[in-house]
Each structure stands twice: as C-alpha cells, then as structure tokens.
Amino acid sequence: MKHLTILVPNGENNLSSIVGSYKIFNRANAIFTAKGRNAVFTIELVGTSQKIGFYDDLFTVQPHKKLSEIKKTNCIIIPSLNHNFDSAVQENQEIIDWINKQYHLGAEVASICTGAFLLAATGLLEGKMCATHWSAAAVFKQRFPNINLQPDQLITDENGIYTNGGAYSFLNLILYLIEKFYDRETALLCSKIFQIDMNRSQQSEFIIFNGQKEHEDEAVLEAQEYLEQNFQEKISIAYLSEKLHITRRNFDRRFIKATGVTPLDYLQRVKIEAAKKQLENYPKTVTEVMYEVGYNDAKAFRDVFCRITGLSPVEYKLRYNKNASFIEK
C-alpha cells in the first residue's frame, strides 16, 4: 500500500484544506475496500510539532506522526498557509527540506492554494507551472520570478507536482488526484457524495482585479492611476508613455516588471473589472455596459471579457446578477 502524507505545518494554516483532504481520501479508500479492492493509501497527518493550533487555538490538530518518522512517502499534500507566507517559510524549513528530499526519492507533491509558497521555497517549482490563490498572485510573482505562475488556472500538473487555485477549489484538486491514483469511477462517486463540481478548470471568473501596486516605480504608479481613472476614455499607451517622458519600449518593460502585466493588459483588466461590477449589480444590457467601460466593438469586448473571466458577458450576468431573468441575443 502506498503512503499519503498530509502535512500540518507550523504557524497559521487553513484547517479546512487539511480536514477536507483527509476526509475525501479516506472515503476513496472506503469505496475501494467496499468493492473488495485494496485501499490505495495509508493516510497520515504529519508535522514537526505534536500539536498545532488553529484560529487562536479554537481547534487543534495532533498529527499521527512526526516528520522524522516518515522515511519515505508516495504523495504529499501541502495545505493552504493563509497569508503569513514569510513566517510560514521561516517556521517550516525542516518540512521544506523534507519535501525536496522526498520528491527526489520519487514522491509526488501537491500544494493547496497558498501552500504553493511553501512548495516554491523548496526550489522544485523553478521553471515549472504553478497556480495559487488569485489574491496572492502578485506577491508570489515578486518572490518567485522564475516560476511560471498560471493565475487563471485551477490546477497545474507537471512532472509529479500539482498545484491549485484558491480556497475551496482544493476540492477539485483532491478529486483530480483521486482520479489519478484510484480511478475515474471513484472520483465521480466522491464528487457526488461531497457535491463537488468536477467540471471546473479555471478560477478566472472569481478574480477581483486590484492591480499590483506594491512596487517603488513612481512613474508606473502614476500610469496605473491614470489608467484606472480614465479607462472609459480612448487611451493610447504610446501617448501615456510620452506623457511620462519614457520611451514606449522602456515604459512597457518597467510596467511589466512592476505589475506583472503589460500596460494594455492592465487597461483591459481595469475595464473588465468595471464591467463585471455593472453586470453584477445593475439591470443594464451587455451593450450598455460595453459602452460605459469604453468599448464600442461588441466582438472585441466579448473576446477580452471571455479571455479574462472565462465566461461571456451574458453568461457572467446570468450567473452573478440575481435579477437577470433573460438571455440577451
């Protein structure tokens, strides 16, 4: 039987991602044994402390084993770290070194949400794809510029390393792993038992674009403010760079370095974020919203909206505006 390690790191972690992983994998084992088949995994919670507190010690977890007792495992689950990324990395260096060692011994590794920061600290993600919670994407890019971050993706799978997007989307990752290590029938049954939608593949529609401003490039900050305040107008990026007395090529380079996106992509995301709010809250048609955010080409608006959110404007309105009761043509 293979061994599954669900890590319980020191510091502030997300209890739900630990409990949820443990519960669903145990159910998959039970499904297999009920059919007369052998359970796939021995499932254990593992940490470096005997007891870890959660939510001001309202809850506590006592791992089955200490990390030093696990000489070899086959699969590792890294839970979400909430948002204290730096302290989590500092407090869990022993776990980081252990993950690296186990991967090179043949273990597969999966990180949940912001657990990607702990996984990235191992160096195993260098040059590889990675997903994490959309709200942590900008910070992640700054800390780990050589990792191919996929902020829109729900799950990445590369060379035995799996990552996923934010919050409860970890349930989709667990089903993905169950299909891989058990079979699709078991994954489908788990999805029905726990009522998890297996068809989700992106977290694009949940992203709230705020713009990365944790940088020290004053000219780029000025450009961001200009784009956010004037997005309804027809804006020329060449005019904006000239206004800031920066060559267009250098402006693009500095903007990407500071924010992670091009000036044009930034402007498009500002427009689409404004459009999303209009579609969510007001009884306006898609065409009315399109004009309000500065588009006059329906196809261009739809294409950009779909690229950024994964949904068409009509689909988005029907899903998120409770008063939307008709389909626009």
Side-chain angles (χ1 to χ4, degrees), residues 198-322:
M198 286 189 68
N199 294 322
R200 287 182 56 202
S201 61
Q202 292 189 317
Q203 59 176 344
S204 309
E205 66 186 273
F206 302 107
I207 294 175
I208 300 172
F209 183 71
N210 293 314
Q212 159 59 10
K213 294 179 181 175
E214 295 181 11
H215 59 81
E216 299 179 352
D217 192 321
E218 294 297 330
V220 172
L221 281 172
E222 186 178 340
Q224 288 174 271
E225 291 176 7
Y226 182 87
L227 293 172
E228 291 170 10
Q229 293 171 8
N230 298 278
F231 69 88
Q232 295 166 308
E233 308 299 326
K234 186 174 181 179
I235 297 175
S236 164
I237 303 301
Y239 165 77
L240 182 56
S241 64
E242 184 178 337
K243 174 182 170 68
L244 295 168
H245 308 291
I246 306 172
T247 64
R248 175 62 191 276
R249 182 176 180 180
N250 192 36
F251 177 59
D252 285 356
R253 181 187 62 78
R254 286 172 59 176
F255 202 99
I256 293 170
K257 181 180 179 180
T259 70
V261 297
T262 66
L264 178 59
D265 192 36
Y266 194 94
L267 174 60
Q268 290 175 333
R269 289 179 181 274
V270 169
K271 287 176 178 286
I272 297 307
E273 191 61 35
K276 285 163 58 182
K277 288 181 172 62
Q278 294 291 316
L279 293 170
E280 291 166 3
N281 297 300
Y282 300 102
K284 298 177 181 178
T285 68
V286 168
T287 301
E288 287 174 323
V289 171
M290 176 189 76
Y291 285 124
E292 284 188 16
V293 300
Y295 281 94
N296 53 25
D297 183 321
K299 183 179 184 305
F301 175 61
R302 186 182 188 281
D303 288 348
V304 174
F305 198 100
C306 285
R307 176 175 62 82
I308 290 174
T309 70
L311 298 171
S312 73
V314 171
E315 289 170 333
Y316 190 91
K317 178 179 179 180
L318 291 173
R319 183 169 297 188
Y320 292 107
N321 188 319
K322 66 179 181 180

Side-chain angles (χ1 to χ4, degrees), residues 79-110:
S80 170
L81 302 176
N82 289 333
H83 295 282
N84 296 308
F85 313 127
D86 293 331
S87 61
V89 170
Q90 292 171 4
E91 291 181 59
N92 292 285
Q93 192 58 53
E94 184 179 349
I95 285 178
I96 290 169
D97 294 340
W98 182 85
I99 294 169
N100 194 306
K101 178 181 177 181
Q102 291 298 321
Y103 178 74
H104 287 101
L105 287 174
E108 300 193 38
V109 186

Side-chain angles (χ1 to χ4, degrees), residues 8-27:
V8 187
N10 294 319
E12 292 189 33
N13 306 302
N14 190 311
L15 182 60
S16 62
S17 60
I18 295 171
V19 175
S21 301
Y22 184 73
K23 188 174 181 65
I24 299 173
F25 270 107
N26 270 291
R27 179 56 66 93

Side-chain angles (χ1 to χ4, degrees), residues 14-273:
N14 190 311
L15 182 60
S16 62
S17 60
I18 295 171
V19 175
S21 301
Y22 184 73
K23 188 174 181 65
I24 299 173
F25 270 107
N26 270 291
R27 179 56 66 93
N29 269 351
I31 291 169
F32 255 41
T33 56
K35 295 178 180 179
R37 303 172 68 179
N38 293 327
V40 173
F41 286 114
T42 296
I43 306 164
E44 292 184 311
L45 305 186
V46 178
T48 56
S49 301
Q50 291 185 335
K51 183 185 291 186
I52 294 92
F54 293 82
Y55 309 112
D56 297 323
D57 290 331
L58 181 61
F59 304 100
T60 59
V61 172
Q62 295 175 285
H64 296 104
K65 288 183 179 177
K66 295 287 290 292
L67 192 73
S68 57
E69 297 178 70
I70 308 298
K71 304 303 180 185
K72 193 174 190 312
T73 191
N74 300 100
C75 186
I76 301 166
I77 305 291
I78 305 170
S80 170
L81 302 176
N82 289 333
H83 295 282
N84 296 308
F85 313 127
D86 293 331
S87 61
V89 170
Q90 292 171 4
E91 291 181 59
N92 292 285
Q93 192 58 53
E94 184 179 349
I95 285 178
I96 290 169
D97 294 340
W98 182 85
I99 294 169
N100 194 306
K101 178 181 177 181
Q102 291 298 321
Y103 178 74
H104 287 101
L105 287 174
E108 300 193 38
V109 186
S111 68
I112 290 171
C113 189
T114 52
F117 283 80
L118 204 63
L119 178 55
T122 68
L124 296 175
L125 281 173
E126 291 291 300
K128 295 186 177 68
M129 295 186 297
C130 178
T132 190
H133 196 290
W134 57 263
S135 67
V139 176
F140 189 93
K141 284 181 181 179
Q142 283 189 324
R143 282 170 171 71
F144 307 105
N146 296 324
I147 294 174
N148 182 15
L149 186 63
Q150 302 288 314
D152 295 335
Q153 293 302 307
L154 200 67
I155 295 170
T156 67
D157 174 350
E158 188 173 0
N159 297 335
I161 296 178
Y162 312 89
T163 66
N164 95 285
Y168 287 91
S169 70
F170 82 87
L171 298 170
N172 296 90
L173 173 64
I174 300 306
L175 290 183
Y176 183 87
L177 295 175
I178 286 172
E179 182 173 353
K180 175 180 175 63
F181 291 112
Y182 295 76
D183 54 32
R184 181 162 181 80
E185 182 182 357
T186 302
L188 285 169
L189 187 52
C190 284
S191 78
K192 293 177 181 179
I193 292 170
F194 294 101
Q195 299 188 38
I196 305 167
D197 180 5
M198 286 189 68
N199 294 322
R200 287 182 56 202
S201 61
Q202 292 189 317
Q203 59 176 344
S204 309
E205 66 186 273
F206 302 107
I207 294 175
I208 300 172
F209 183 71
N210 293 314
Q212 159 59 10
K213 294 179 181 175
E214 295 181 11
H215 59 81
E216 299 179 352
D217 192 321
E218 294 297 330
V220 172
L221 281 172
E222 186 178 340
Q224 288 174 271
E225 291 176 7
Y226 182 87
L227 293 172
E228 291 170 10
Q229 293 171 8
N230 298 278
F231 69 88
Q232 295 166 308
E233 308 299 326
K234 186 174 181 179
I235 297 175
S236 164
I237 303 301
Y239 165 77
L240 182 56
S241 64
E242 184 178 337
K243 174 182 170 68
L244 295 168
H245 308 291
I246 306 172
T247 64
R248 175 62 191 276
R249 182 176 180 180
N250 192 36
F251 177 59
D252 285 356
R253 181 187 62 78
R254 286 172 59 176
F255 202 99
I256 293 170
K257 181 180 179 180
T259 70
V261 297
T262 66
L264 178 59
D265 192 36
Y266 194 94
L267 174 60
Q268 290 175 333
R269 289 179 181 274
V270 169
K271 287 176 178 286
I272 297 307
E273 191 61 35

